[in-house]
Amino acid sequence: MAEPLVVVVGGANVDVKARTTAPLVDATSNPGVVLRSPGGVGRNVAENLARLGSRVALVSTVGNDPDGDWLLAQTAAAGVDVAPVLRGGATGRYVAVLDHTGDLAVGVSDMAATDSLGPDALDHDLLRAADLVVLDGNLPATTIDAALDVADRVVVDPVSVAKAARIAPLFRPERPVFAVTPNAHELRALGSVAALHGHGVEVVWVRRGAEGSELHPASSGPVWLAAPVVDPVDVTGAGDALLAAFCHALLRGVSLEDAAAYGHRAAALTVADPHTVVPDLSARMAR
């Protein structure tokens, strides 16, 4: 039997992360460490899935530039099928400044490449062949709309309050969505758990950071899950690991609650690691 296929549609960019080695002081230079790593919500989710052992293809776009070459090579080396990734323009970048505790102080996104990923970038046959499709809320609303028309089982990560508000009108009962994974602020932009259920969303997974999360299946009552306690090193990518591990576990037949708990373990390992995606994630999850 073939390994289940996950198709991730979303952003791929280069992350530049600067972390101070002492408490952050505004409006001046701070001593610290600066690292470059592969990034982008969609790309991070795809790499986490591949490192956990899932068969995954990435639909994205990167530039015809050295950053794009490097990003594709790094992503393919992790086990992701990057054949559907388009080339053109300049590769996106995300710059994050973290304080000495690993918490995000400020971030700047240059997502023009992802903004250009229109509906014609979608391979309908690939989406139909997928056992699960993950959509990154950074995509244009028209692209998410087109993907929802084609794919059978979809998970949508709203990504931010602004993006959540943009995609809220896309959920309709006549084309059900398997899961939406907002944080509390994004949920308010989407409406409410009840509203999302009414618009055809089967599972609403409300993420509350270090506190944990709430699973809201349409068919039963809510379930609260605590997050593992961890000393943070770098919070970047934790939500992407959470989502990827959740999807990976679901495709292996575990319950929603167990899949969400598996996601929390992956997020905890990511927060405690300096990498955006933990390089030996599968081995560490098995311990």
Side-chain angles (χ1 to χ4, degrees):
M1 186 175 177
E3 176 75 19
L5 172 64
V6 187
V7 174
V8 181
V9 189
N13 50 259
V14 174
D15 282 353
V16 179
K17 298 186 294 182
R19 177 175 173 168
T20 63
T21 50
L24 182 68
V25 179
D26 291 337
T28 189
S29 295
N30 287 261
V33 178
V34 179
L35 299 173
R36 181 178 80 148
S37 64
V41 170
R43 197 219 66 85
N44 291 346
V45 171
E47 182 180 341
N48 275 292
L49 279 160
R51 293 198 180 279
L52 288 168
S54 282
R55 184 164 64 107
V56 56
L58 175 65
V59 180
S60 189
T61 182
V62 300
N64 283 315
D65 51 28
D67 275 347
D69 295 339
W70 177 79
L71 196 54
L72 283 185
Q74 293 287 313
T75 306
V80 178
D81 178 4
V82 297
V85 177
L86 305 177
R87 304 294 300 267
T91 300
R93 282 179 170 255
Y94 172 67
V95 178
V97 177
L98 310 171
D99 65 20
H100 69 295
T101 69
D103 284 334
L104 180 68
V106 66
V108 178
S109 299
D110 178 355
M111 303 295 290
T114 304
D115 291 341
S116 72
L117 197 67
D120 11 346
L122 300 175
D123 180 334
H124 289 195
D125 290 338
L126 180 64
L127 293 180
R128 291 190 185 100
D131 296 276
L132 190 67
V133 173
V134 179
L135 300 178
D136 169 355
N138 286 307
L139 295 163
T142 52
T143 304
I144 295 177
D145 194 36
L148 291 175
D149 278 339
V150 177
D152 287 329
R153 197 178 191 211
V154 181
V155 177
V156 181
D157 182 355
V159 174
S160 71
V161 172
K163 304 294 171 61
R166 188 176 69 178
I167 65 176
L170 303 182
F171 300 111
R172 301 197 294 270
E174 63 269 21
R175 58 173 191 196
V177 169
F178 172 64
V180 179
T181 61
N183 64 27
H185 301 295
E186 292 158 3
L187 177 62
R188 284 194 287 273
L190 290 167
S192 67
V193 170
L196 286 169
H197 286 327
H199 290 125
V201 178
E202 184 179 339
V203 177
V204 182
W205 188 18
V206 184
R207 307 188 293 193
R208 298 188 181 276
E211 296 177 13
S213 65
E214 299 161 13
L215 270 173
H216 295 266
S219 58
S220 62
V223 177
W224 169 257
L225 295 103
V229 177
V230 62
D231 290 327
V233 172
D234 183 345
V235 299
T236 311
D240 306 331
L242 183 86
L243 176 56
F246 173 71
C247 295
H248 176 80
L250 280 176
L251 289 174
R252 274 135 195 89
V254 309
S255 69
L256 277 172
E257 185 174 347
D258 287 345
Y262 191 73
H264 276 298
R265 285 181 58 210
L269 289 171
T270 304
V271 167
D273 192 279
H275 298 90
T276 302
V277 177
V278 179
D280 57 345
L281 182 60
S282 182
R284 291 172 66 181
M285 289 289 283
R287 292 173 191 164

